[in-house]
Amino acid sequence: MTDPSVPRPPVRAEHAAFSAQINAAQDVLDAFMAAWNARDAGGVRTSFNFPHVRFASGKVRVLSPEDVNDGMYAGAALSEWGRSAWLRREVIHAGADKVQLDTRFARFRPDGSLISAFDSIYIVTLQDGRWGVQGRSSYAP
């Protein structure tokens, strides 16, 4: 199956001063999705900054590196899942050490058919010279 992800959008004029930061944040989203789809918990962990906060399913979870493991793929929400893809990833705000993105991602079965899609906000931060996803708020289970 070919990658159904949308390409990263161009940096808008109002964010031009932070184009390097935006490109770094988009690189992190690419790395996260590639690792997620490869079921590579170590790669997912590398794409995160910690503590990592996830708002989903009516709960707030604060994740440490140990929480990012192969068990992430065992839940019922991923029982039919084969891969995910970005459908939207637009910059909301950008600064020297943080980029916030309005995203929509989809989950697909192994045959390429759509399971579902979810709107979400991703917060990518610069910590100790390294960019990583530090927060996610989504409607995904």
Side-chain angles (χ1 to χ4, degrees):
M1 176 178 159
T2 59
D3 185 356
S5 286
V6 296
R8 66 177 65 178
V11 175
R12 294 192 314 246
E14 67 264 29
H15 297 129
F18 299 105
S19 61
Q21 291 85 349
I22 290 168
N23 285 327
Q26 294 283 15
D27 287 346
V28 167
L29 292 185
D30 288 339
F32 166 74
M33 190 63 74
W36 181 256
N37 285 333
R39 297 177 186 250
D40 174 9
V44 171
R45 191 178 312 108
T46 298
S47 70
F48 284 176
N49 277 338
F50 294 96
H52 180 92
V53 181
R54 182 171 185 244
F55 295 81
S57 303
K59 298 178 183 172
V60 178
R61 288 195 60 209
V62 178
L63 304 174
S64 64
E66 304 78 49
D67 297 316
V68 183
N69 57 55
D70 291 338
M72 300 180 305
Y73 299 99
L78 297 178
S79 63
E80 297 181 86
W81 175 79
R83 66 179 292 105
S84 296
W86 298 116
L87 302 181
R88 179 183 67 240
R89 48 187 187 159
E90 296 286 338
V91 173
I92 302 168
H93 304 289
D97 61 357
K98 179 171 53 179
V99 177
Q100 299 171 351
L101 300 105
D102 172 24
T103 71
R104 183 169 179 83
F105 68 91
R107 291 181 180 157
F108 296 92
R109 292 176 187 87
D111 68 5
S113 62
L114 179 68
I115 298 171
S116 53
F118 304 98
D119 294 316
S120 56
I121 303 295
Y122 275 62
I123 301 168
V124 183
T125 61
L126 178 64
Q127 277 187 2
D128 301 321
R130 198 181 143 283
W131 287 92
V133 179
Q134 191 157 16
R136 300 175 288 159
S137 174
S138 79
Y139 293 95

